[in-house]
Amino acid sequence: MEPRAKSSVLLIYTGGTIGMKPDPETGVLAPFDFSTIYDEFPYLGKLDVELEVINLTPIDSSNVTPELWCELARLIRDNYDAYDGFVVLHGTDTMSYSASALSFMLVNLAKPVIFTGSQIPIGVLRTDGRENLITAVEIAAAREGGRAVVPEVCICFQNKLFRANRTTKHSAEQLNAFRSDNYPILAEVGVSIHYNRPFIRRPAPDPGSLRIVTRLDTRIAVVRLFPGMSAETFTAMLGIPGLRGVVLETYGAGNAPTADWFIDAVSAAVARSVVVLNVTQCLGGSVSMEMYETGKRLGQTGVISGRDITTESAVTKMMVVLGASDDPQEVRRGLEADRCGEISD
């Protein structure tokens, strides 16, 4: 019997803390060349994985734009048939946005796309990046019966694997920087990797060829409500010329003020075909606009319930949906539908 071929993984480095290493002469942190990754981390060879590297121009994740998401989508599409999985090294600050975006942009995905990074530079002795990187590669390469174990876009961080479009970065200092309050983790890493198989999304039996979406409409705004917000401020934000969508961060189960000026501003925006998606400010829980009178009034204006979607996922999903159609009803259906596990039934 012939030995099973090694799994192959494409590593794409975009920048971020994980890619920083002290310069031997100055001690200043500088980007690391991941092309020499086996020289720096020879134990990667023990994974029995064929690893190739693409180094993009390093970028601080605070400067990430949808152009990077489109570049990543094209790279994955163009290399899709050549690799069993993909690992994207990315700064943590906007990782949930980028990973959520890729989950919507990679249509018919049947292979792992694992985002990871670190809180401590990989060239520092106490780095968390080493374990994050090794685990991400191992998960991206994992196959059973010729199929990927985790065929979706994920974030691997601090011994946990999350569905990407369910994540939020919750800490700037703790090593377990990400959380997924509304969906179980997909795997937990200890002595071995324990996959939470019932919660891993499987592709259709014949998913078809990978297709990418790169037409994104960024004419949206995120409006977070707070006690004392003035009518002038709120009305001005919803009245921005050219605005097509608003992610409205409301209280609790989707509640908002019932003052006439507030309802009038929302109604006027919806009348101009601005789509308004109601998401909760809470890390856990869901929007349920029928529960209280304040939520009911929003529903009556035409506001869409985001249910238990994260803000990061709501923003990127809205960009994709608005980019696909100018028809308000199609946009509404697109936002209400579960596309890739980002909302619960």
Side-chain angles (χ1 to χ4, degrees), residues 33 74 77 140 156 165 176 184 190 212 214 216 245 252 260 269 279 293 295 298 335 342:
D33 182 2
R74 293 187 184 103
R77 177 199 59 192
C156 177
N165 57 36
N176 57 334
I212 66 170
T214 57
L216 307 178
D260 289 341
V279 305
E293 181 62 29
L298 279 182
L335 289 174
E342 74 280 4

Side-chain angles (χ1 to χ4, degrees), residues 128-199:
D128 55 325
R130 186 179 297 109
E131 294 301 321
N132 287 345
L133 172 60
I134 293 171
T135 304
V137 171
E138 186 170 359
I139 291 173
R143 293 185 295 173
E144 288 181 349
R147 299 192 308 166
V149 175
V150 189
E152 56 176 294
V153 184
C154 302
I155 287 179
C156 177
F157 218 88
Q158 193 63 14
N159 300 324
K160 289 182 172 61
L161 183 72
F162 307 97
R163 175 170 294 164
N165 57 36
R166 291 290 193 150
T167 62
T168 294
K169 183 178 180 182
H170 79 99
S171 177
E173 296 187 358
Q174 296 177 13
L175 297 185
N176 57 334
F178 291 87
R179 58 195 294 174
S180 172
D181 290 274
N182 285 331
Y183 199 78
I185 60 173
L186 302 186
E188 190 157 9
V189 182
V191 174
S192 58
I193 301 175
H194 297 280
Y195 292 100
N196 198 356
R197 298 175 192 276
F199 295 97

Side-chain angles (χ1 to χ4, degrees), residues 94-140:
T94 56
M95 187 186 294
S96 286
Y97 285 97
S98 294
S100 294
L102 264 291
S103 75
F104 301 120
M105 296 168 69
L106 300 172
V107 182
N108 300 329
L109 180 69
K111 296 181 180 182
V113 176
I114 313 298
F115 279 71
T116 195
S118 69
Q119 295 284 70
I120 304 173
I122 205 163
V124 175
L125 184 61
R126 291 184 51 252
T127 183
D128 55 325
R130 186 179 297 109
E131 294 301 321
N132 287 345
L133 172 60
I134 293 171
T135 304
V137 171
E138 186 170 359
I139 291 173

Side-chain angles (χ1 to χ4, degrees), residues 18-332:
I18 193 170
M20 305 304 286
K21 180 181 176 182
D23 184 283
E25 295 182 0
T26 66
V28 175
L29 289 172
F32 168 66
D33 182 2
F34 277 90
S35 297
T36 61
I37 194 167
Y38 281 113
D39 295 334
E40 188 73 21
F41 309 111
Y43 35 77
L44 276 171
K46 297 181 180 180
L47 291 180
D48 197 33
V49 175
E50 292 182 357
L51 190 63
E52 300 285 340
V53 177
I54 292 178
N55 281 295
L56 301 184
T57 302
I59 182 174
D60 187 291
S61 69
S62 298
N63 291 319
V64 162
T65 66
E67 283 70 31
L68 174 65
W69 306 340
C70 293
E71 184 176 6
L72 289 172
R74 293 187 184 103
L75 278 173
I76 292 169
R77 177 199 59 192
D78 295 345
N79 291 278
Y80 191 71
D81 293 335
Y83 297 93
D84 296 303
F86 303 84
V87 171
V88 180
L89 302 182
H90 193 289
T92 59
D93 286 347
T94 56
M95 187 186 294
S96 286
Y97 285 97
S98 294
S100 294
L102 264 291
S103 75
F104 301 120
M105 296 168 69
L106 300 172
V107 182
N108 300 329
L109 180 69
K111 296 181 180 182
V113 176
I114 313 298
F115 279 71
T116 195
S118 69
Q119 295 284 70
I120 304 173
I122 205 163
V124 175
L125 184 61
R126 291 184 51 252
T127 183
D128 55 325
R130 186 179 297 109
E131 294 301 321
N132 287 345
L133 172 60
I134 293 171
T135 304
V137 171
E138 186 170 359
I139 291 173
R143 293 185 295 173
E144 288 181 349
R147 299 192 308 166
V149 175
V150 189
E152 56 176 294
V153 184
C154 302
I155 287 179
C156 177
F157 218 88
Q158 193 63 14
N159 300 324
K160 289 182 172 61
L161 183 72
F162 307 97
R163 175 170 294 164
N165 57 36
R166 291 290 193 150
T167 62
T168 294
K169 183 178 180 182
H170 79 99
S171 177
E173 296 187 358
Q174 296 177 13
L175 297 185
N176 57 334
F178 291 87
R179 58 195 294 174
S180 172
D181 290 274
N182 285 331
Y183 199 78
I185 60 173
L186 302 186
E188 190 157 9
V189 182
V191 174
S192 58
I193 301 175
H194 297 280
Y195 292 100
N196 198 356
R197 298 175 192 276
F199 295 97
I200 295 173
R201 188 177 178 88
R202 308 300 314 182
D206 184 13
S209 301
L210 179 73
R211 179 172 59 85
I212 66 170
V213 175
T214 57
R215 185 179 176 184
L216 307 178
D217 195 329
T218 60
R219 292 175 293 174
I220 68 175
V222 177
V223 179
R224 185 180 179 92
L225 301 184
F226 61 89
M229 175 179 272
S230 71
E232 292 77 13
T233 298
F234 185 72
T235 302
M237 294 181 75
L238 266 62
I240 296 171
L243 187 69
R244 289 199 65 205
V246 173
V247 175
L248 185 64
E249 291 189 331
T250 57
Y251 309 125
N255 301 312
T258 56
D260 289 341
W261 63 262
F262 181 87
I263 299 299
D264 289 346
V266 174
S267 298
V270 173
R272 299 196 314 273
S273 297
V274 175
V275 59
V276 181
L277 185 65
N278 185 358
V279 305
T280 175
Q281 296 178 14
C282 301
L283 289 175
S286 179
V287 165
S288 181
M289 291 193 295
E290 68 279 0
M291 186 175 295
Y292 299 103
E293 181 62 29
T294 54
K296 286 182 179 179
R297 291 200 66 184
L298 279 182
Q300 290 166 358
T301 68
V303 172
I304 302 168
S305 173
R307 292 145 71 180
D308 60 350
I309 197 169
T310 64
T311 294
E312 294 89 339
S313 191
V315 166
T316 52
K317 180 180 182 178
M318 185 175 283
M319 288 183 185
V320 169
V321 172
L322 289 175
S325 177
D326 293 325
D327 184 317
Q329 291 307 312
E330 284 190 19
V331 169
R332 185 182 187 91

